[in-house]
Amino acid sequence: MNNSIEQVNSIFEQPWWLDAVAPGRWDAVEIRKDEQLIARLPYVKEKRMGFKLLGMPQYTQTLGYWIEDTGAKNARKYARRKELVAELISGLPPKYNCDMELDHTCDYLFPFKWNGYKLQMAYSYRIEDIHDIDQLWSGLADNIRREIKKAQKELTVESDHSIDDLILMQSKTFERQGRKKSEDRELLKRLDTALSEHDAKKLLCAVDSQG
């Protein structure tokens, strides 16, 4: 099974990911030139309190538009981006509200504003380069380093557990917090299968002396 595509910003825009988290509810606006894909914007249809919505499926951090990089100079690059983003927006289903979290690479947003969308800044922190562990360690706050050293004495990190272990821990967490039990067991299993088929997962568990 291989329905991956190269024209994405992140794993969350892969067709197989969207098939797992939003089966039958997602589609994508695509723009092609000479049969070659040059721009793409996936979306997911939902209903919330009776309203039709283009929203975010569970476990999906971001979606967003992808535009082919032609290597053009900035003037032409942004003129082309302006045209393509506007065309992608015009291809979205009409009469739908929109509540989407765009990928951080989607940094040209004026066409959304011009088309009546309300934009709101959101923050996400990421470490781009994790190859130098010593540098990462030195960049941590003192209290965080102390907590990590303490955890290293009490816990071991294992990678041979199954999705059923994760679901069990999730259920126990909800129960302990007095919250309604999560009803997404089948979704998690479906997503786990898709991730395994595409060699795109690593399930890590921190285990104490009592297992």
Side-chain angles (χ1 to χ4, degrees):
M1 178 179 179
N2 185 12
N3 57 341
S4 297
I5 60 174
E6 295 182 1
Q7 297 85 351
V8 295
N9 300 305
S10 73
I11 192 174
F12 304 120
E13 297 168 18
Q14 287 286 1
W16 58 263
W17 176 283
L18 292 166
D19 282 341
V21 297
R25 296 190 293 113
W26 78 274
D27 205 340
V29 184
E30 296 184 347
I31 302 173
R32 296 180 180 273
K33 183 177 181 181
D34 298 328
E35 299 186 0
Q36 180 179 344
L37 185 64
I38 61 172
R40 180 176 182 268
L41 174 59
Y43 60 86
V44 175
K45 292 181 177 180
E46 297 180 358
K47 279 192 176 181
R48 189 183 300 172
M49 299 177 65
F51 291 96
K52 295 193 297 184
L53 179 72
L54 302 182
M56 300 296 298
Q58 285 183 274
Y59 302 105
T60 302
Q61 184 178 12
T62 58
L63 292 173
Y65 65 78
W66 169 89
I67 292 178
E68 175 195 36
D69 184 3
T70 62
K73 293 182 179 180
N74 280 344
R76 175 53 189 154
K77 172 183 176 181
Y78 284 104
R80 178 174 179 267
R81 187 175 297 185
K82 173 183 174 182
E83 296 171 0
L84 291 175
V85 173
E87 188 173 344
L88 288 171
I89 292 172
S90 69
L92 291 172
K95 299 181 180 179
Y96 273 80
N97 292 318
C98 185
D99 185 9
M100 293 176 62
E101 303 282 345
L102 296 182
D103 186 86
H104 75 287
T105 58
C106 301
D107 56 359
Y108 188 75
L109 303 176
F110 286 117
F112 287 93
K113 186 176 180 64
W114 296 331
N115 281 273
Y117 289 82
K118 180 181 178 181
L119 305 178
Q120 183 174 337
M121 182 73 73
Y123 292 91
S124 179
Y125 299 92
R126 64 175 62 203
I127 301 172
E128 297 290 354
D129 185 357
I130 61 173
H131 291 94
D132 190 338
I133 300 299
D134 292 335
Q135 183 178 7
L136 293 176
W137 179 257
S138 65
L140 295 175
D142 291 342
N143 65 310
I144 298 300
R145 286 201 293 265
R146 286 195 297 270
E147 291 296 328
I148 291 175
K149 289 179 179 178
K150 179 182 176 182
Q152 288 175 328
K153 296 177 181 178
E154 300 175 355
L155 304 169
T156 58
V157 178
E158 300 176 357
S159 59
D160 58 349
H161 291 262
S162 71
I163 191 65
D164 291 314
D165 295 323
L166 175 62
I167 292 171
L168 178 60
M169 286 189 285
Q170 182 192 59
S171 298
K172 288 184 175 180
T173 299
F174 276 97
E175 182 180 344
R176 186 176 67 252
Q177 295 174 347
R179 298 164 61 189
K180 183 179 179 182
K181 184 179 178 181
S182 176
E183 300 296 338
D184 55 5
R185 177 185 177 90
E186 293 306 315
L187 187 157
L188 280 171
K189 281 185 166 292
R190 190 166 61 241
L191 183 56
D192 180 69
T193 298
L195 288 164
S196 298
E197 289 174 347
H198 291 86
D199 192 24
K201 61 165 274 192
K202 180 172 286 187
L203 180 58
L204 303 177
C205 292
V207 183
D208 63 15
S209 59
Q210 298 179 351

